[in-house]
mmCIF file of all heavy atoms in Angstrom:
data_model
loop_
_atom_site.group_PDB
_atom_site.id
_atom_site.type_symbol
_atom_site.label_atom_id
_atom_site.label_comp_id
_atom_site.label_asym_id
_atom_site.label_seq_id
_atom_site.Cartn_x
_atom_site.Cartn_y
_atom_site.Cartn_z
ATOM 1 N N PRO P 789 -84.743 89.978 -55.016
ATOM 2 C CA PRO P 789 -84.515 89.698 -53.590
ATOM 3 C C PRO P 789 -83.347 88.732 -53.397
ATOM 4 O O PRO P 789 -83.027 87.934 -54.283
ATOM 5 C CB PRO P 789 -85.839 89.062 -53.145
ATOM 6 C CG PRO P 789 -86.851 89.538 -54.141
ATOM 7 C CD PRO P 789 -86.121 89.672 -55.438
ATOM 8 N N MET P 790 -82.723 88.827 -52.253
ATOM 9 C CA MET P 790 -81.569 87.985 -51.953
ATOM 10 C C MET P 790 -81.959 86.514 -52.040
ATOM 11 O O MET P 790 -83.046 86.105 -51.630
ATOM 12 C CB MET P 790 -81.031 88.323 -50.571
ATOM 13 C CG MET P 790 -79.675 87.731 -50.262
ATOM 14 S SD MET P 790 -78.979 88.410 -48.717
ATOM 15 C CE MET P 790 -78.656 90.111 -49.206
ATOM 16 N N GLY P 791 -81.053 85.718 -52.586
ATOM 17 C CA GLY P 791 -81.324 84.305 -52.755
ATOM 18 C C GLY P 791 -81.044 83.493 -51.508
ATOM 19 O O GLY P 791 -80.874 84.041 -50.397
ATOM 20 N N SER P 792 -81.014 82.183 -51.680
ATOM 21 C CA SER P 792 -80.757 81.300 -50.549
ATOM 22 C C SER P 792 -79.352 81.512 -49.994
ATOM 23 O O SER P 792 -78.430 81.926 -50.715
ATOM 24 C CB SER P 792 -80.950 79.841 -50.980
ATOM 25 O OG SER P 792 -80.062 79.515 -52.039
ATOM 26 N N ARG P 793 -79.213 81.227 -48.717
ATOM 27 C CA ARG P 793 -77.926 81.355 -48.017
ATOM 28 C C ARG P 793 -77.369 82.779 -48.061
ATOM 29 O O ARG P 793 -76.150 83.013 -47.986
ATOM 30 C CB ARG P 793 -76.895 80.387 -48.590
ATOM 31 C CG ARG P 793 -77.316 78.935 -48.541
ATOM 32 C CD ARG P 793 -76.267 78.046 -49.174
ATOM 33 N NE ARG P 793 -76.730 76.654 -49.221
ATOM 34 C CZ ARG P 793 -76.036 75.669 -49.795
ATOM 35 N NH1 ARG P 793 -74.854 75.932 -50.362
ATOM 36 N NH2 ARG P 793 -76.520 74.445 -49.818
ATOM 37 N N GLY P 794 -78.273 83.751 -48.223
ATOM 38 C CA GLY P 794 -77.845 85.131 -48.189
ATOM 39 C C GLY P 794 -77.045 85.596 -49.390
ATOM 40 O O GLY P 794 -76.350 86.616 -49.323
ATOM 41 N N ARG P 795 -77.148 84.885 -50.507
ATOM 42 C CA ARG P 795 -76.385 85.239 -51.701
ATOM 43 C C ARG P 795 -77.160 86.232 -52.564
ATOM 44 O O ARG P 795 -78.388 86.172 -52.671
ATOM 45 C CB ARG P 795 -76.055 83.991 -52.520
ATOM 46 C CG ARG P 795 -75.122 83.031 -51.805
ATOM 47 C CD ARG P 795 -74.840 81.795 -52.656
ATOM 48 N NE ARG P 795 -76.027 81.009 -52.889
ATOM 49 C CZ ARG P 795 -76.047 79.891 -53.628
ATOM 50 N NH1 ARG P 795 -74.930 79.454 -54.203
ATOM 51 N NH2 ARG P 795 -77.191 79.240 -53.782
ATOM 52 N N TYR P 796 -76.421 87.136 -53.216
ATOM 53 C CA TYR P 796 -77.029 88.107 -54.120
ATOM 54 C C TYR P 796 -77.294 87.475 -55.494
ATOM 55 O O TYR P 796 -76.462 86.745 -56.024
ATOM 56 C CB TYR P 796 -76.133 89.337 -54.281
ATOM 57 C CG TYR P 796 -76.060 90.210 -53.043
ATOM 58 C CD1 TYR P 796 -74.980 90.118 -52.173
ATOM 59 C CD2 TYR P 796 -77.073 91.114 -52.749
ATOM 60 C CE1 TYR P 796 -74.903 90.900 -51.039
ATOM 61 C CE2 TYR P 796 -77.007 91.908 -51.614
ATOM 62 C CZ TYR P 796 -75.933 91.795 -50.771
ATOM 63 O OH TYR P 796 -75.877 92.580 -49.630
ATOM 64 N N VAL P 797 -78.479 87.783 -56.035
ATOM 65 C CA VAL P 797 -78.831 87.324 -57.379
ATOM 66 C C VAL P 797 -78.459 88.426 -58.368
ATOM 67 O O VAL P 797 -78.921 89.557 -58.260
ATOM 68 C CB VAL P 797 -80.331 86.999 -57.485
ATOM 69 C CG1 VAL P 797 -80.666 86.541 -58.896
ATOM 70 C CG2 VAL P 797 -80.733 85.943 -56.466
ATOM 71 N N ARG P 798 -77.619 88.085 -59.344
ATOM 72 C CA ARG P 798 -77.157 89.071 -60.320
ATOM 73 C C ARG P 798 -77.571 88.640 -61.723
ATOM 74 O O ARG P 798 -77.169 87.575 -62.206
ATOM 75 C CB ARG P 798 -75.639 89.239 -60.233
ATOM 76 C CG ARG P 798 -75.156 89.852 -58.921
ATOM 77 C CD ARG P 798 -73.658 90.093 -58.936
ATOM 78 N NE ARG P 798 -73.201 90.793 -57.742
ATOM 79 C CZ ARG P 798 -72.907 90.212 -56.594
ATOM 80 N NH1 ARG P 798 -72.976 88.873 -56.506
ATOM 81 N NH2 ARG P 798 -72.525 90.928 -55.561
ATOM 82 N N ILE P 799 -78.390 89.483 -62.366
ATOM 83 C CA ILE P 799 -78.791 89.265 -63.764
ATOM 84 C C ILE P 799 -77.809 90.010 -64.652
ATOM 85 O O ILE P 799 -77.615 91.215 -64.516
ATOM 86 C CB ILE P 799 -80.235 89.741 -63.997
ATOM 87 C CG1 ILE P 799 -81.207 88.903 -63.151
ATOM 88 C CG2 ILE P 799 -80.595 89.648 -65.490
ATOM 89 C CD1 ILE P 799 -82.642 89.374 -63.214
ATOM 90 N N LYS P 800 -77.184 89.294 -65.576
ATOM 91 C CA LYS P 800 -76.065 89.849 -66.324
ATOM 92 C C LYS P 800 -76.396 90.172 -67.786
ATOM 93 O O LYS P 800 -75.727 91.009 -68.393
ATOM 94 C CB LYS P 800 -74.897 88.855 -66.283
ATOM 95 C CG LYS P 800 -74.477 88.476 -64.865
ATOM 96 C CD LYS P 800 -73.448 87.363 -64.851
ATOM 97 C CE LYS P 800 -73.095 86.949 -63.424
ATOM 98 N NZ LYS P 800 -72.099 85.844 -63.407
ATOM 99 N N TYR P 801 -77.450 89.491 -68.334
ATOM 100 C CA TYR P 801 -77.644 89.569 -69.773
ATOM 101 C C TYR P 801 -79.073 89.149 -70.100
ATOM 102 O O TYR P 801 -79.611 88.248 -69.456
ATOM 103 C CB TYR P 801 -76.628 88.654 -70.462
ATOM 104 C CG TYR P 801 -76.634 88.663 -71.968
ATOM 105 C CD1 TYR P 801 -76.111 89.729 -72.680
ATOM 106 C CD2 TYR P 801 -77.150 87.586 -72.693
ATOM 107 C CE1 TYR P 801 -76.099 89.724 -74.067
ATOM 108 C CE2 TYR P 801 -77.141 87.566 -74.075
ATOM 109 C CZ TYR P 801 -76.614 88.640 -74.756
ATOM 110 O OH TYR P 801 -76.601 88.631 -76.124
ATOM 111 N N ILE P 802 -79.681 89.811 -71.099
ATOM 112 C CA ILE P 802 -81.059 89.491 -71.492
ATOM 113 C C ILE P 802 -81.136 89.367 -73.007
ATOM 114 O O ILE P 802 -80.499 90.150 -73.730
ATOM 115 C CB ILE P 802 -82.055 90.582 -71.036
ATOM 116 C CG1 ILE P 802 -81.873 90.886 -69.552
ATOM 117 C CG2 ILE P 802 -83.485 90.145 -71.326
ATOM 118 C CD1 ILE P 802 -81.411 92.250 -69.241
ATOM 119 N N MET P 803 -81.923 88.427 -73.485
ATOM 120 C CA MET P 803 -82.155 88.323 -74.922
ATOM 121 C C MET P 803 -83.537 87.717 -75.184
ATOM 122 O O MET P 803 -84.067 86.976 -74.361
ATOM 123 C CB MET P 803 -81.084 87.453 -75.590
ATOM 124 C CG MET P 803 -81.094 85.994 -75.181
ATOM 125 S SD MET P 803 -79.859 84.993 -76.088
ATOM 126 C CE MET P 803 -80.481 85.130 -77.758
ATOM 127 N N GLN P 804 -84.116 88.073 -76.314
ATOM 128 C CA GLN P 804 -85.353 87.447 -76.755
ATOM 129 C C GLN P 804 -85.002 86.199 -77.550
ATOM 130 O O GLN P 804 -84.182 86.249 -78.470
ATOM 131 C CB GLN P 804 -86.193 88.404 -77.613
ATOM 132 C CG GLN P 804 -87.547 87.813 -78.016
ATOM 133 C CD GLN P 804 -88.411 88.777 -78.808
ATOM 134 O OE1 GLN P 804 -88.044 89.936 -78.992
ATOM 135 N NE2 GLN P 804 -89.553 88.317 -79.286
ATOM 136 N N LEU P 805 -85.611 85.086 -77.210
ATOM 137 C CA LEU P 805 -85.330 83.831 -77.884
ATOM 138 C C LEU P 805 -85.956 83.789 -79.273
ATOM 139 O O LEU P 805 -86.986 84.432 -79.523
ATOM 140 C CB LEU P 805 -85.830 82.660 -77.038
ATOM 141 C CG LEU P 805 -85.263 82.561 -75.614
ATOM 142 C CD1 LEU P 805 -85.893 81.399 -74.857
ATOM 143 C CD2 LEU P 805 -83.752 82.427 -75.645
ATOM 144 N N LYS P 806 -85.352 83.027 -80.152
ATOM 145 C CA LYS P 806 -85.849 82.906 -81.517
ATOM 146 C C LYS P 806 -86.959 81.866 -81.577
ATOM 147 O O LYS P 806 -86.785 80.752 -82.049
ATOM 148 C CB LYS P 806 -84.708 82.546 -82.469
ATOM 149 C CG LYS P 806 -83.647 83.642 -82.584
ATOM 150 C CD LYS P 806 -82.539 83.247 -83.546
ATOM 151 C CE LYS P 806 -81.502 84.363 -83.663
ATOM 152 N NZ LYS P 806 -80.402 83.992 -84.595
ATOM 153 N N THR P 807 -88.113 82.240 -81.066
ATOM 154 C CA THR P 807 -89.269 81.360 -81.009
ATOM 155 C C THR P 807 -90.462 82.043 -81.654
ATOM 156 O O THR P 807 -90.446 83.248 -81.914
ATOM 157 C CB THR P 807 -89.607 81.002 -79.549
ATOM 158 O OG1 THR P 807 -89.738 82.209 -78.781
ATOM 159 C CG2 THR P 807 -88.498 80.143 -78.945
ATOM 160 N N SER P 808 -91.507 81.251 -81.901
ATOM 161 C CA SER P 808 -92.697 81.790 -82.552
ATOM 162 C C SER P 808 -93.532 82.660 -81.624
ATOM 163 O O SER P 808 -94.401 83.404 -82.073
ATOM 164 C CB SER P 808 -93.568 80.654 -83.101
ATOM 165 O OG SER P 808 -93.942 79.759 -82.062
ATOM 166 N N THR P 809 -93.314 82.557 -80.326
ATOM 167 C CA THR P 809 -94.001 83.378 -79.339
ATOM 168 C C THR P 809 -92.971 84.155 -78.530
ATOM 169 O O THR P 809 -91.813 83.729 -78.435
ATOM 170 C CB THR P 809 -94.854 82.513 -78.397
ATOM 171 O OG1 THR P 809 -94.008 81.584 -77.699
ATOM 172 C CG2 THR P 809 -95.882 81.719 -79.200
ATOM 173 N N PRO P 810 -93.345 85.305 -77.943
ATOM 174 C CA PRO P 810 -92.384 86.123 -77.203
ATOM 175 C C PRO P 810 -91.846 85.412 -75.953
ATOM 176 O O PRO P 810 -92.568 85.202 -74.988
ATOM 177 C CB PRO P 810 -93.183 87.373 -76.831
ATOM 178 C CG PRO P 810 -94.316 87.416 -77.782
ATOM 179 C CD PRO P 810 -94.659 85.983 -78.064
ATOM 180 N N MET P 811 -90.589 85.044 -75.991
ATOM 181 C CA MET P 811 -89.906 84.428 -74.859
ATOM 182 C C MET P 811 -88.606 85.184 -74.610
ATOM 183 O O MET P 811 -87.867 85.480 -75.545
ATOM 184 C CB MET P 811 -89.606 82.948 -75.127
ATOM 185 C CG MET P 811 -90.831 82.076 -75.335
ATOM 186 S SD MET P 811 -90.367 80.349 -75.605
ATOM 187 C CE MET P 811 -91.987 79.597 -75.886
ATOM 188 N N PHE P 812 -88.334 85.476 -73.345
ATOM 189 C CA PHE P 812 -87.156 86.242 -72.978
ATOM 190 C C PHE P 812 -86.327 85.440 -71.965
ATOM 191 O O PHE P 812 -86.858 84.914 -70.984
ATOM 192 C CB PHE P 812 -87.550 87.592 -72.383
ATOM 193 C CG PHE P 812 -88.303 88.463 -73.346
ATOM 194 C CD1 PHE P 812 -89.687 88.409 -73.422
ATOM 195 C CD2 PHE P 812 -87.633 89.330 -74.192
ATOM 196 C CE1 PHE P 812 -90.392 89.204 -74.318
ATOM 197 C CE2 PHE P 812 -88.331 90.123 -75.094
ATOM 198 C CZ PHE P 812 -89.711 90.062 -75.153
ATOM 199 N N ALA P 813 -85.041 85.354 -72.235
ATOM 200 C CA ALA P 813 -84.121 84.647 -71.346
ATOM 201 C C ALA P 813 -83.291 85.659 -70.570
ATOM 202 O O ALA P 813 -82.666 86.547 -71.164
ATOM 203 C CB ALA P 813 -83.222 83.702 -72.135
ATOM 204 N N PHE P 814 -83.276 85.528 -69.247
ATOM 205 C CA PHE P 814 -82.469 86.351 -68.367
ATOM 206 C C PHE P 814 -81.358 85.472 -67.799
ATOM 207 O O PHE P 814 -81.629 84.506 -67.076
ATOM 208 C CB PHE P 814 -83.324 86.931 -67.232
ATOM 209 C CG PHE P 814 -84.267 88.016 -67.663
ATOM 210 C CD1 PHE P 814 -85.388 87.721 -68.423
ATOM 211 C CD2 PHE P 814 -84.045 89.334 -67.313
ATOM 212 C CE1 PHE P 814 -86.277 88.708 -68.815
ATOM 213 C CE2 PHE P 814 -84.927 90.342 -67.707
ATOM 214 C CZ PHE P 814 -86.035 90.024 -68.464
ATOM 215 N N PHE P 815 -80.126 85.785 -68.129
ATOM 216 C CA PHE P 815 -78.991 84.986 -67.691
ATOM 217 C C PHE P 815 -78.458 85.542 -66.369
ATOM 218 O O PHE P 815 -78.160 86.739 -66.259
ATOM 219 C CB PHE P 815 -77.907 84.975 -68.760
ATOM 220 C CG PHE P 815 -78.339 84.304 -70.030
ATOM 221 C CD1 PHE P 815 -78.946 85.027 -71.040
ATOM 222 C CD2 PHE P 815 -78.160 82.937 -70.202
ATOM 223 C CE1 PHE P 815 -79.360 84.413 -72.214
ATOM 224 C CE2 PHE P 815 -78.571 82.311 -71.375
ATOM 225 C CZ PHE P 815 -79.172 83.046 -72.375
ATOM 226 N N CYS P 816 -78.333 84.653 -65.377
ATOM 227 C CA CYS P 816 -77.955 85.108 -64.046
ATOM 228 C C CYS P 816 -77.199 84.019 -63.311
ATOM 229 O O CYS P 816 -77.041 82.894 -63.813
ATOM 230 C CB CYS P 816 -79.193 85.517 -63.246
ATOM 231 S SG CYS P 816 -80.433 84.203 -63.085
#
């Protein structure tokens, strides 16, 4: 959904972090 002040949120890249439990980072 559109962010504050009417700005578009754009997710550019995803990766699984090197941790002992499943963690995913979404860069935006």
Side-chain angles (χ1 to χ4, degrees):
M790 192 170 292
S792 60
R793 302 178 185 176
R795 295 179 296 179
Y796 290 99
V797 179
R798 294 184 175 84
I799 296 175
K800 304 173 183 179
Y801 183 74
I802 309 116
M803 66 177 296
Q804 184 177 355
L805 303 177
K806 295 180 179 180
T807 53
S808 58
T809 60
M811 298 181 182
F812 298 90
F814 288 72
F815 295 90
C816 57

